[in-house]
Amino acid sequence: VPLGQKKTGIGHYTFELAQAMAALAPADEFEIVSPGPFAETLEVELPANLRLVNLGVDGWKRRGWWSITLPRYCAGLSLFHGTNFELPYWGKCPTVLTIHDLSLLLFPETHEKNLVRRARLKLPATARKATAIITPSETVRNEVCEHLGVAADKVFAIPEAARGSFYPASRSESEAVCVRLGIESEFILFVGTIEPRKNVLNLVRAFAELVQNDSSRLQLVIAGKQGWLSNDLET
């Protein structure tokens, strides 16, 4: 569940999208539904028409989240948006599914085996079941149509925007951060979870070759939590 733990990309996508939609449609009611507690989302004031719903499903009952609990809950909704590749297994509620990429199917070696097995089993059926599908780019849209056998007229490429918290920093702000982190004037920045599918190891190798033939003081700055199989990068 994207918002049941410290937010990463999909968690931010889910939370920012919910807030923006609630603000754009103040006459409608929006809910973010979770089987368990939310991790961080109460740090900001929510729009009046957006509420967090913790259904309190714990332990072995969590295994029935997609097959029992959530389908029953969705019976009372006008639309359900699955922002993290999955939808309720059954029900008549119209659904929107976001597929961020198909790396689980196209590059399985960059993911944990249990996640790959789950995607191979569920993702094609979930994509066919969805009323509409959102992808972040035309490339992923074409991949979804080709590899999941989905009709092109129900897949929509909608580019993702930066969060509202991002803004052009002043020179003094930037310099203070750089001094604190030991970053000099020129650098390349990578931001993301450190795991195989982000290809950070090849980035480091390419950077090493670059600086061997460069007399500048260019630096590589990597920002992100350690993910699956990040040991190779450390060594």
Side-chain angles (χ1 to χ4, degrees):
V1 179
L3 297 176
Q5 55 191 346
K6 185 176 177 63
K7 291 193 292 292
T8 55
I10 296 177
H12 285 294
Y13 170 82
T14 301
F15 192 51
E16 296 294 327
L17 183 61
Q19 292 183 94
M21 291 180 65
L24 288 170
D28 296 325
E29 297 295 323
F30 296 85
E31 298 177 348
I32 302 177
V33 184
S34 171
F38 292 88
E40 301 175 307
T41 49
L42 292 178
E43 295 174 359
V44 300
E45 183 177 353
L46 299 177
N49 58 331
L50 171 62
R51 69 189 188 106
L52 306 178
V53 179
N54 173 6
L55 293 183
V57 181
D58 295 315
W60 64 270
K61 293 182 180 179
R62 184 73 70 95
R63 298 177 63 181
W65 171 248
W66 296 103
S67 59
I68 301 174
T69 308
L70 190 58
R72 287 178 175 173
Y73 188 82
C74 288
L77 302 181
S78 301
L79 178 70
F80 178 85
H81 184 180
T83 60
N84 192 19
F85 298 95
E86 297 201 67
L87 294 175
Y89 287 174
W90 55 270
K92 296 182 179 180
C93 175
T95 57
V96 174
L97 175 68
T98 295
I99 298 179
H100 301 274
D101 61 65
L102 284 187
S103 61
L104 280 160
L105 303 183
L106 302 182
F107 305 100
E109 69 280 2
T110 65
H111 291 274
E112 296 179 73
K113 291 182 180 180
N114 64 314
L115 297 179
V116 173
R117 286 194 299 268
R118 182 181 179 87
R120 286 174 174 169
L121 178 66
K122 297 182 59 178
L123 192 51
T126 302
R128 289 192 295 269
K129 180 183 183 299
T131 309
I133 296 174
I134 294 173
T135 64
S137 68
E138 287 291 342
T139 297
V140 179
R141 177 178 182 269
N142 293 336
E143 290 175 347
V144 166
C145 295
E146 177 184 354
H147 296 282
L148 299 182
V150 178
D153 61 359
K154 82 168 191 178
V155 187
F156 303 88
I158 303 177
E160 297 171 0
R163 303 200 308 276
S165 58
F166 287 94
Y167 63 93
S170 67
R171 187 177 183 85
S172 60
E173 286 179 289
S174 300
E175 288 179 344
V177 173
C178 288
V179 168
R180 178 168 58 85
L181 298 177
I183 302 171
E184 299 182 7
S185 59
E186 294 185 345
F187 61 92
I188 298 171
L189 175 64
F190 167 88
V191 179
T193 303
I194 302 169
E195 56 189 352
R197 68 191 179 98
K198 302 299 175 67
N199 212 11
V200 184
L201 185 57
N202 274 349
L203 170 63
V204 172
R205 289 168 176 164
F207 179 78
E209 291 186 14
L210 175 65
V211 295
Q212 282 181 352
N213 303 308
D214 188 352
S215 59
S216 70
R217 296 179 61 84
L218 184 67
Q219 293 176 284
L220 174 62
V221 180
I222 298 174
K225 73 174 186 178
Q226 292 184 337
W228 177 63
L229 288 183
S230 59
N231 291 337
D232 287 346
L233 187 63
E234 296 175 5
T235 56

